[in-house]
Amino acid sequence: MKNVIVTGGSRGIGKCLVENLAKEGYNIILNYNKSEKQAKKIQNDLKENGIIIEIFKADVSKKEEVKKLVNFALEKWESIDILINNAGIAKLQMFQDVTEEDWDEIINTNLKSAFYMSQAVMPSMIHKKSGCIINISSIWGIVGASCETVYSISKAGMDALTKSLAKELGPSNIRVNSIAPGVIETDMNSNIDEKIKQEIKNETPLGKIGKTIDIYRCAKWLIDDEFTTGQVISVNGGYVIS
Ligand code: NAP
């Protein structure tokens, strides 16, 4: 079965990806940074069902920690078949208030991490002439978000990484795609109050907020597919149609 690294697998979308791919039989390394308890709980809950996954603490915004994570994977496995760059943070603030530290934190966590991770797993994928990289970007990278400028920039950058790498790595049979979620029920959106949620639902053709499983279904399809690369697939209930 194929070997998968999911960054930011301790909560939200990453947790859902880990749990469902593990149940499908994929070998998983769940990367986490701060949420050790949650990561261990996911590991233990799966173990109770006879499913073994590995967990590995690494701040993926740091090159040295990414190196350790990928080395850990290559010590366990002969190859890394699938990389899901999912780790991310968001910060709501007026652009005028953005400090250089804010900029660096968001860009490094959301975008530079995908650069480090992709570069680190590429040799293994090129060697095998097979691979799948999925970048979890965002609708805000496509249309821009007021008060989340740096976040939007980081996600637009991810989509550009997807398109460029798809061209560069296609000849090595490595597919690179983005999933650009709309609003999905996770901790990241815990600050959105019910009134705003209702407004979002009203503006969404499918009339609902997304669930983490919606992102898993798209990721699974991209993993199974053999002729899709360089695409930004937006899973958003029709909230953004571009
Ligand atoms: P979440 O519930 O806040 O979870 C974020 C995950 O990222 C956590 O597992 C966290 O791990 C991990 N993470 C953050 N910084 C990290 C770092 N430096 N190194 C390693 N892991 C790190 O968020 P989510 O909603 O699931 O978001 C997952 C991805 O989807 C993000 O890239 C986000 O931008 C994107 N997205 C989400 C939505 C949405 O509506 N929820 C919409 C569009 C795009 P620890 O807690 O262990 O640090």
Side-chain angles (χ1 to χ4, degrees):
M1 194 36 111
K2 288 184 172 168
N3 306 320
V4 190
I5 300 178
V6 180
T7 69
S10 51
R11 296 186 287 114
I13 292 169
K15 172 177 187 271
C16 180
L17 293 170
V18 164
E19 288 174 339
N20 285 283
L21 288 171
K23 283 174 192 159
E24 287 285 332
Y26 289 85
N27 302 315
I28 307 280
I29 294 175
L30 177 167
N31 154 252
Y32 67 97
N33 185 29
K34 295 181 180 156
S35 303
E36 184 151 78
K37 254 192 198 162
Q38 286 94 326
K40 284 189 170 157
K41 182 169 182 342
I42 296 167
Q43 188 183 38
N44 289 336
D45 289 349
L46 286 168
K47 201 172 174 186
E48 278 174 18
N49 291 308
I51 300 168
I52 305 297
I53 66 160
E54 303 289 341
I55 63 172
F56 194 91
K57 176 175 163 56
D59 176 347
V60 290
S61 69
K62 301 204 166 81
K63 193 175 183 174
E64 281 313 306
E65 297 198 23
V66 164
K67 247 192 202 168
K68 285 181 190 160
L69 166 61
V70 172
N71 283 344
F72 175 77
L74 290 172
E75 278 161 20
K76 292 245 155 264
W77 303 329
E78 276 181 12
S79 63
I80 297 161
D81 303 302
I82 298 156
L83 165 66
I84 307 184
N85 286 314
N86 166 76
I89 53 168
K91 200 168 184 178
L92 214 60
Q93 56 189 158
M94 302 284 282
F95 188 60
Q96 221 161 3
D97 297 332
V98 174
T99 63
E100 203 172 336
E101 286 72 29
D102 294 325
W103 174 281
D104 288 345
E105 188 188 6
I106 298 165
I107 296 293
N108 292 352
T109 305
N110 296 2
L111 180 58
K112 210 168 184 186
S113 60
F115 155 53
Y116 290 148
M117 285 298 305
S118 305
Q119 211 174 49
V121 304
M122 270 166 54
S124 158
M125 291 183 175
I126 290 170
H127 180 74
K128 200 171 171 186
K129 271 208 162 283
S130 171
C132 172
I133 298 175
I134 299 174
N135 292 320
I136 307 295
S137 58
S138 168
I139 47 168
W140 305 124
I142 301 169
V143 296
S146 166
C147 297
E148 279 191 294
T149 307
V150 187
Y151 179 80
S152 303
I153 292 167
S154 73
K155 297 302 187 176
M158 246 188 161
D159 290 343
L161 176 70
T162 287
K163 293 172 191 175
S164 305
L165 260 192
K167 290 183 178 176
E168 196 171 314
L169 298 181
S172 298
N173 191 33
I174 299 164
R175 294 174 301 106
V176 188
N177 292 287
S178 284
I179 300 175
V183 181
I184 307 292
E185 268 317 338
T186 69
D187 294 348
M188 192 171 269
N189 290 321
S190 54
N191 58 342
I192 302 181
D193 66 35
E194 284 310 314
K195 188 169 163 275
I196 305 280
K197 273 190 190 161
Q198 192 52 52
E199 283 170 16
I200 293 168
K201 286 181 197 171
N202 294 344
E203 286 173 36
T204 302
L206 291 181
K208 56 186 178 182
I209 301 273
K211 293 192 181 340
T212 54
I213 194 75
D214 296 312
I215 306 307
Y216 164 72
R217 288 194 190 105
C218 182
K220 180 66 172 64
W221 180 82
L222 280 172
I223 287 169
D224 292 339
D225 177 79
E226 292 181 1
F227 197 50
T228 302
T229 198
Q231 303 306 309
V232 178
I233 301 173
S234 195
V235 178
N236 66 44
Y239 185 65
V240 166
I241 298 177
S242 58

